[in-house]
């Protein structure tokens, strides 16, 4: 049995809005391969979607432990930390995600959200602009930027 197949199936189910079934696939992937960093990351993402930020953090931490270069797990961890009000640690995780993958626009945009929340709108705009420089069709960065400029 291949844990990647369950992770991929879970990703498709999540995209289709079948989040509970997606979680079951991620659980199965982790069961089949407890060393699958991507499965833990995906499980963290779905748990975060369900509002289980603390449990999501545990998955992200496990994913990072298994693969310290898993930039996507750092981004997910940062999102969960931000929603739990731990903005400074969130910024550090976004920085790590950017360090590991400087071409990932989502991390720049997400970091911009934290910076904006901390009151530094100009710096946040620079992060949104960087995200758009990397991916000119990244609509969330436009939305975030528009929220500051309105």
């Amino acid at each position: 049995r291949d844990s990647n197949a369950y992770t991929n199936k879970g990703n498709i189910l999540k995209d289709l809005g079948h989040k509970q079934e997606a979680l079951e696939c991620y659980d199965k992937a982790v069961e089949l391969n407890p060393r699958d960093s991507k499965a833990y990351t995906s499980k963290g993402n779905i748990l975060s979607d369900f509002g289980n930020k603390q449990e999501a953090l545990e998955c992200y931490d496990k994913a990072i432990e298994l693969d310290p270069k898993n930039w996507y797990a750092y981004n997910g961890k940062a999102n969960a930390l931000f929603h739990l009000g731990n903005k400074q640690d969130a910024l550090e995780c976004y920085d790590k995600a950017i360090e590991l993958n400087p071409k990932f626009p989502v991390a720049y945009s997400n970091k911009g959200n934290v910076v904006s929340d901390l009151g530094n709108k100009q710096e946040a705009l620079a992060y949104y602009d960087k995200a758009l420089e990397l991916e000119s069709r990244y609509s969330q960065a436009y939305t975030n930027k528009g929220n500051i400029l309105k």
Side-chain angles (χ1 to χ4, degrees):
R1 302 247 187 153
D2 185 10
S3 65
N4 287 332
Y6 280 96
T7 300
N8 292 338
K9 182 179 179 183
N11 291 341
I12 291 167
L13 287 166
K14 180 183 176 193
D15 288 346
L16 292 172
H18 303 287
K19 293 181 179 182
Q20 186 58 45
E21 293 170 61
L23 178 58
E24 291 166 12
C25 286
Y26 300 140
D27 283 338
K28 185 67 174 175
V30 166
E31 177 187 323
L32 288 172
N33 183 1
R35 303 210 41 82
D36 186 344
S37 177
K38 289 179 182 173
Y40 280 103
T41 303
S42 294
K43 183 176 178 181
N45 290 340
I46 201 81
L47 288 169
S48 191
D49 285 354
F50 282 134
N52 301 341
K53 305 298 185 192
Q54 199 59 49
E55 196 176 346
L57 281 175
E58 293 170 18
C59 288
Y60 296 132
D61 284 340
K62 184 66 175 176
I64 291 165
E65 175 190 324
L66 294 169
D67 179 7
K69 294 184 179 183
N70 184 337
W71 49 270
Y72 202 65
Y74 278 103
N75 185 73
K77 180 177 180 177
N79 291 339
L81 287 166
F82 177 43
H83 289 287
L84 289 169
N86 193 339
K87 296 171 190 168
Q88 204 53 50
D89 286 345
L91 287 173
E92 290 173 21
C93 286
Y94 287 130
D95 285 341
K96 188 65 175 178
I98 290 167
E99 173 191 323
L100 292 170
N101 183 358
K103 296 189 184 296
F104 182 49
V106 175
Y108 290 97
S109 185
N110 289 342
K111 183 174 182 182
N113 292 339
V114 179
V115 169
S116 174
D117 198 63
L118 291 169
N120 193 337
K121 306 298 186 195
Q122 285 308 117
E123 186 180 352
L125 286 172
Y127 285 113
Y128 301 142
D129 286 340
K130 179 63 178 178
L132 292 167
E133 174 188 316
L134 293 169
E135 176 52 64
S136 62
R137 297 183 306 180
Y138 182 42
S139 62
Q140 190 60 52
Y142 281 110
T143 300
N144 294 340
K145 186 175 179 178
N147 287 336
I148 286 181
L149 295 174
K150 66 179 177 179

